[in-house]
Amino acid sequence: MTEDTEAKTGREYTEAELQDLVASTDSGGRMPSNRNIAVFISSVAFLWSVFQLWIAQPQLWFGQWIPVMNSSQTRPVHLGFAILLAFLAYPAFKSSPRDRIPVFDWALAIVGSACAFYVFLFSRELALTARSGVPTQTQIIIGSIGIVLLLEASRRALGPALTVVGSLFLLYAYMGQGWLIPDIIEHSGLSFVAIVNAQWLDTTGVFGIPLGVSTAFVFLFVLFGAILDKAGAGNYFIQLAFAGLGALRGGPAKAAVVGSAMTGLISGSSIANVVTTGTFTIPLMKRVGFSSEKAGAVEVASSVNGQIMPPVMGAAAFLMVEFVGISYVEVIKHAFIPAVISYIALVYIVHLEALKRDMPALGPAANLARMFVKIFVGFVVTAIAFTALVYGIKGLRAAAPAIADPLVLAAILVVYVAMVRTSARHPDLALDDPNAKKFHLPTVAEVFPTGLHYLLPILVLVWFLMVEMQSPAKSAFYAVAVMLLIILTQRPLKALFRGEDVGAATRAGGRDLVDGMIAGARNMIGIGVATAAAGIIVATVTKTPIGTELAGLVEVLSGGNLMIMLLLIGVFSLILGMGLPTTANYIVVSSLMASVVVTLGAQEGLIVPLIAAHLFVFYFGIMADVTPPVGLASFAAAAVSGGDPIRTGFTAFFYSMRTVALPFLFIYNPTLILYGVDLGTWPGILHAVFVFFVATIAMLLFAAATQGYFLAPSRKWESAALLLVAFTLFVPGFWLNRIQDPFVERPATELAAAFDEALPGERVRFVVRGPSFTTGQTTETTLVHTVSEEEPETGRADAAGLFLLPEGDKLFMDEPMFGTPYQEKLSGFDFYLDERVEVVSLLTPAHRMPKQVFYIPALLLLGLVVVLQRRRQTKPAF
């Protein structure tokens, strides 16, 4: 290959270069040649994992001897470890030495971690001084150094994006005004002392909620994933995906999608996911006919989608718990259907690519529809078995509460040993060379029994989260505990059952445990400094007008059109997310943009649930990993495939159009995220199943429309018809609203009576108009009050903090009571101008035909497309 050609198409990296790529982005690319220094770095990482397990274990039996640390103490220790390892593991520049640590880096590591540990050691003094508004000069100096070194650690571990954004926010907080700062977000500027106090010495900035989530939840899940992968689960999932899907048309691409989905369950990094699964899947995709760019794009789309897949969601799920104020189970409930249908659609997209190019299967051809039926049957059987397990354990606890838990624990151990014995009867899994002339496609019967015990810790995690309703931290701790048992004992047990050397296997298991603990900590370096640095942005948003006035800026730019507003917010989220890992990405975009979606939606009469707004900006933020010119995952995939990274990125973005469309759909139809659906009742469960079924069909049609192929190559009008059908299935209420008004207007003066007449769980919707607090111009917003069981039978409006002032046939408002939710909801109005804030209408739901009526014309149109394409069809659709 000539140099010019190589420059255009990219270069296929070696295995060593790929591992270095992952290390340099996820765990640090420095590998000191001095054994003592290497051991020191590994020891620090191991101690970090031990510390996190120590503070996470739920039984505080040591409390009478050793003081139990609170969150204001554990967060600085967490960050101290992260900064220390960031300077030791990540070189300052590409030209910096990797085989040794310069003295300057040692100094930065020690000083940076000392600044964090200072907050831990002197937490009591800080509470009496800085956090009471009177920081000392020493504290300001330490805080200033800490902020600068944190930003440098962020630059090394994550690249310049977050460092630049954090620095700009600090500059904005200090200056407040300038020719680059729009008038709408100007402020008088904060003093240097106030900024340092808020960002480093207080608990709202660097040591705020994002770092708290990283300390309490994220580390355990990353550690769980690292140990699970070290035990061999990653290889098992990939092999299982190939065994199940490799015999289909374009099988390697389908296996890449499913394998990346399963890897994404335990991975917090799209880049690591690309390289881990891509080194095996991309060569096989190219083998059956995918170009280098398309093979890389499939892997990118699959791996990045792993970040939206519960239960981890790139650690964003735990941040949503804190930012949205709902339980972790609720977050998983809302995120599940969009993530699953997105993956199903991606499988269908690569299937259509295989059909268009008549790609062969790796083995004897199988049928995709039959495969979906098998998966569905397996899902139903698993659900029935899990339900039986739930009721069985509940019955045991009711019958014999004293011995129920020990019996369950003994049963788990027996089942584990039986699973390992089953695994020992089969040879250990090993990935074949994907470039070999002859490739052996494994069968499910060969692969499935070899890793059954890897499902046990996942079952424990799901059990404690969904059944026991424990906190994510406690659930993750028990899952990690089970994983530690597995990684220590699986090798010795296999050796025992196979008649091999048990002592050597035990030592190997111990090494696996240590390596897994070290890998988990090193994978957390970037997340640790990212959540801390993102705290700078969160604090700036709360201390300056940018958090409340950004909605006004977007409204001005969009001209008041809601769809344009959403498009702008999506683009802003995409730009803000460029170059950031998933965790920091979500913190930044949600801090700035989530409330904007809710506010602007309300001004247009659309009530957007807060979780829908957070998922909206999260989906667009992670698309930055795909989209050129940054597109880190696309560059990683191009390094594996040898394709052009920019073309790979654009192709991956095209494959990810379904992920781009989904946020708009659940803004307009929150039922798609099961908002308002009660899964605790059978009607609620049936409703959820119906939503999932319809959404899946709609997403498959959307995929077919964007690919230009359904049963046969589609004509333009057929693709347009499929898009119309998909939209109607997703948002049938859109057409109903064109025909019948969703609400009936009642006099505003009936608002207080409507509050009192509503039953618990019912909603009261009303429209408020008045002068904007920032511009003084008249603005309007729609509010919804959900009546709760705790509210009094009468006087509910007063109890909610609303001051209603009826005057004739009009209803005015005074400023809501301080500390109530309505104080924040109505903070955009100025209650002290001559123009008064007024409730202009009370909206009650109108009696209308069911919106599902519009499924009928949609399905008729779909039938027409099917009939016409059947005449041109030359190969089976599945």
Side-chain angles (χ1 to χ4, degrees), residues 486-617:
I486 289 175
I487 201 169
L488 271 175
T489 60
Q490 67 170 349
R491 285 182 182 268
L493 285 174
K494 284 185 179 180
L496 178 65
F497 295 135
R498 291 171 176 172
E500 298 172 352
D501 187 349
V502 177
T506 302
R507 290 189 293 274
R511 287 193 296 271
D512 286 343
L513 171 63
V514 173
D515 290 345
M517 297 273 278
I518 293 171
R522 292 195 65 151
N523 290 343
M524 269 299 300
I525 298 172
I527 297 175
V529 296
T531 50
I536 293 174
I537 297 162
V538 175
T540 304
V541 168
T542 59
K543 298 288 183 181
T544 64
I546 192 170
T548 55
E549 305 307 334
L550 203 59
L553 180 61
V554 174
E555 185 180 15
V556 170
L557 293 174
S558 66
N561 184 285
L562 182 59
M563 179 54 73
I564 297 176
M565 290 178 194
L566 292 174
L567 286 171
L568 281 174
I569 292 167
V571 171
F572 288 162
S573 300
L574 189 65
I575 294 171
L576 287 168
M578 285 185 175
L580 299 182
T582 305
T583 312
N585 181 327
Y586 169 68
I587 296 169
V588 172
V589 297
S590 65
S591 300
L592 291 172
M593 293 292 159
S595 61
V596 176
V597 176
V598 175
T599 301
L600 295 180
Q603 289 179 5
E604 296 298 312
L606 180 68
I607 302 302
V608 180
L610 187 56
I611 182 63
H614 276 259
L615 287 172
F616 181 93
V617 297

Side-chain angles (χ1 to χ4, degrees), residues 322-351:
E322 300 294 330
F323 290 167
V324 182
I326 59 178
S327 71
Y328 175 77
V329 174
E330 285 288 306
V331 171
I332 300 305
K333 165 190 165 183
H334 295 312
F336 181 76
I337 285 183
V340 172
I341 65 173
S342 184
Y343 262 114
I344 291 173
L346 185 54
V347 171
Y348 186 54
I349 285 172
V350 298
H351 175 70

